[in-house]
């Protein structure tokens, strides 16, 4: 095996909801709602042909996306989830001796896929406010840097960087370094100062935007994400794609989701309203919660993190703990959020305040 694989941390999937007691899975930032009827029917109809390979170029999906996003089809590339596309970007740009810059803590796949490529991770700590330190990230770029991830909003803290700061940062990045704006949670953003990466990519050939159908669109299990990028980035993504990686069921369900967008985005609005309710309730309990623009909230619990996750699980909700740092909690249906709020209040009273 290549030595680059030694010591790669395993990707930790969100813990499943436990069986028996009331149980909600708030550990993977999934959409809690089942597929919309039209989307499900489309997927089921397509399933009848899964003896055939899918359309390798995802042409119908790309055409639909190109129209909606007002980008050329040639600037679009799909993959097996946006994490699949991110891995292709690394395959295309970085190898041994190269550096990949990203904030930390951020999406836990970044160190894994960077290490697989053979490149070296350069992690730039988040600010005290749990957000990207874009000045420090620009300072961290060297002649070895090939790619920079900016996760906006950031997983797991939910914070998002505003347009002015991001543009200032992009102006500092050398044109030969690819900046990947990972916008997996874009549809949950409500702060108008947070830019749409697709506006930024248009006149910046070194900017690539990642989007996914896994979160707002509720297709996490079907594995389809995409990039919006200029040539030669989009062309490189077509070269590095796993042939037939995106199933026909995923392609057709993604198209059906786009066509059911109004109903889907109504659900997103409900989740955003729940996010605001959860944040306010946590603040009222005394927690300091960074303002989230995503479908999750971040509790910096430090050494109490693992115990908090255990208390949640005992009460019937699974969250995503990062030992010694904090817990990321997905905002889901009201009953799940209520249960989480109850555990958080009790934990705070019994463990953090009472000591
Ligand atoms: C920031 C970020 N990017 C990308 C992904 C990957 O999503 P998918 O591969 O399902 O599109 C996730 C999933 O949790 C994420 O949090």
């Amino acid at each position: 095996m290549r030595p680059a694989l030694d010591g790669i941390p395993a990707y930790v999937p969100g813990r499943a909801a436990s069986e028996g007691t009331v149980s909600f899975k708030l550990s993977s930032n999934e959409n809690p709602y089942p597929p919309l009827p039209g989307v499900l029917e489309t997927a089921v109809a397509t399933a009848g042909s899964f003896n055939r390979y899918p359309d390798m170029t995802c042409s119908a999906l790309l055409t639909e996306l190109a129209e909606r996003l007002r980008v050329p089809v040639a600037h679009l590339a799909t993959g097996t989830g946006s994490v699949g596309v991110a891995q292709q970007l690394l395959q295309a740009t970085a190898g041994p001796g190269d550096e990949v810059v990203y904030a930390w803590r951020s999406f836990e796949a970044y160190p894994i896929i960077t290490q697989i490529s053979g490149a070296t991770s350069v992690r730039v700590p988040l600010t005290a406010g749990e957000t990207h330190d874009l000045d420090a990230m620009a300072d961290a770029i060297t002649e070895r840097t090939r790619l920079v991830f900016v996760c906006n909003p950031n997983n797991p803290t939910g914070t998002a960087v505003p347009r002015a700061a991001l543009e200032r940062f992009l102006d500092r990045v050398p044109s030969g370094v690819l900046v990947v704006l990972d916008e997996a949670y874009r549809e949950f953003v409500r702060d108008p100062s947070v830019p749409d990466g697709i506006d930024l990519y248009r006149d910046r050939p070194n900017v690539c935007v990642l989007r996914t159908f896994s979160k707002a669109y509720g297709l996490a299990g079907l594995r389809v994400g995409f990039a919006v990028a200029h040539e030669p980035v989009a062309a490189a993504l077509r070269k590095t794609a796993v042939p037939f990686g995106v199933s026909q069921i995923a392609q057709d369900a993604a198209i059906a989701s786009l066509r059911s967008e109004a109903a889907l985005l109504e659900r997103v609005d409900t989740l955003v309203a729940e996010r605001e309710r959860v944040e306010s309730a946590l603040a009222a309990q005394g927690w300091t919660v960074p303002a989230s623009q995503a479908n999750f909230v971040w509790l910096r619990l430090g050494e109490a993190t693992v115990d908090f996750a255990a208390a949640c699980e005992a009460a019937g909700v699974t969250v995503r703990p990062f030992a010694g740092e904090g817990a990321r909690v997905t905002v889901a249906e009201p009953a799940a959020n209520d249960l989480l709020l109850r555990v958080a209040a009790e934990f705070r009273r019994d463990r953090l305040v009472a000591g």
Side-chain angles (χ1 to χ4, degrees):
M1 296 302 137
R2 288 164 51 225
L5 301 191
D6 292 343
I8 288 188
Y11 187 101
V12 181
R15 243 175 114 64
S18 45
E19 285 178 16
T21 54
V22 182
S23 191
F24 297 103
K25 183 181 176 206
L26 304 184
S27 53
S28 293
N29 298 343
E30 293 155 332
N31 192 319
Y33 301 113
L36 285 172
V39 177
L40 185 59
E41 279 158 17
T42 301
V44 168
T46 302
S49 324
F50 65 42
N51 52 314
R52 305 287 177 196
Y53 284 106
D55 170 4
M56 194 166 100
T57 59
C58 298
S59 56
L61 175 56
L62 293 191
T63 304
E64 192 95 11
L65 284 171
E67 273 170 24
R68 278 160 199 278
L69 302 173
R70 291 179 298 105
V71 302
V73 168
H75 284 193
L76 290 166
T78 50
T80 54
S82 55
V83 74
V85 186
Q87 184 155 20
Q88 289 172 247
L89 287 167
L90 281 167
Q91 264 186 302
T93 59
D98 297 330
E99 291 175 352
V100 176
V101 174
Y102 50 85
W104 201 248
R105 180 170 280 280
S106 190
F107 182 32
E108 68 175 312
Y110 299 155
I112 298 172
I113 59 181
T114 299
Q115 196 172 331
I116 292 171
S117 77
T120 303
S121 282
V122 177
R123 298 176 179 191
V124 178
L126 296 170
T127 64
E130 310 275 13
T131 190
H132 279 65
D133 187 341
L134 291 174
D135 288 334
M137 288 177 72
D139 291 341
I141 293 172
T142 69
E143 68 286 350
R144 291 175 184 238
T145 309
R146 306 307 318 141
L147 186 148
V148 181
F149 283 111
V150 177
C151 190
N152 206 33
N154 187 46
N155 174 3
T157 57
T159 53
V161 288
R163 183 178 190 112
L166 190 52
E167 282 187 327
R168 213 167 39 241
F169 167 77
L170 293 173
D171 288 342
R172 283 189 64 191
V173 178
S175 60
V177 174
L178 185 66
V179 179
V180 179
L181 301 179
D182 184 343
E183 296 189 337
Y185 302 97
R186 170 70 206 163
E187 295 81 1
F188 298 97
V189 171
R190 291 296 177 273
D191 177 350
S193 76
V194 177
D196 179 331
I198 293 176
D199 293 338
L200 297 177
Y201 115 96
R202 292 188 196 276
D203 58 356
R204 295 183 187 265
N206 66 329
V207 169
C208 171
V209 181
L210 291 184
R211 295 276 178 92
T212 182
F213 284 96
S214 296
K215 307 296 178 179
Y217 289 89
L219 303 184
L222 289 180
R223 314 306 303 129
V224 53
F226 63 95
V228 184
H230 293 261
E231 306 283 354
V233 181
L237 286 172
R238 285 189 281 276
K239 289 180 190 168
T240 52
V242 173
F244 307 109
V246 180
S247 74
Q248 198 63 48
I249 300 177
Q251 294 180 39
D252 291 352
I255 293 170
S257 298
L258 290 170
R259 292 181 183 166
S260 307
E261 209 162 39
L264 277 171
L265 296 184
E266 217 175 280
R267 292 175 161 189
V268 171
D269 280 341
T270 307
L271 291 171
V272 169
E274 276 297 294
R275 173 181 84 202
E276 286 161 9
R277 182 176 77 87
V278 168
E279 283 182 333
S280 307
L282 288 170
Q285 290 175 15
W287 297 89
T288 303
V289 185
S292 173
Q293 292 295 311
N295 65 341
F296 51 86
V297 293
W298 172 244
L299 296 173
R300 187 163 279 284
L301 285 140
E303 295 311 316
T305 299
V306 172
D307 288 350
F308 176 76
C312 287
E313 185 147 347
V317 274
T318 54
V319 302
R320 178 72 176 90
F322 296 95
E325 294 180 56
R328 188 194 68 200
V329 185
T330 306
V331 174
E333 62 271 57
N337 303 333
D338 286 343
L339 190 48
L340 181 274
L341 288 172
R342 205 162 69 229
V343 185
E346 282 165 15
F347 192 82
R348 196 169 169 81
R349 190 190 60 222
D350 300 345
R351 285 292 309 276
L352 301 182
V353 179

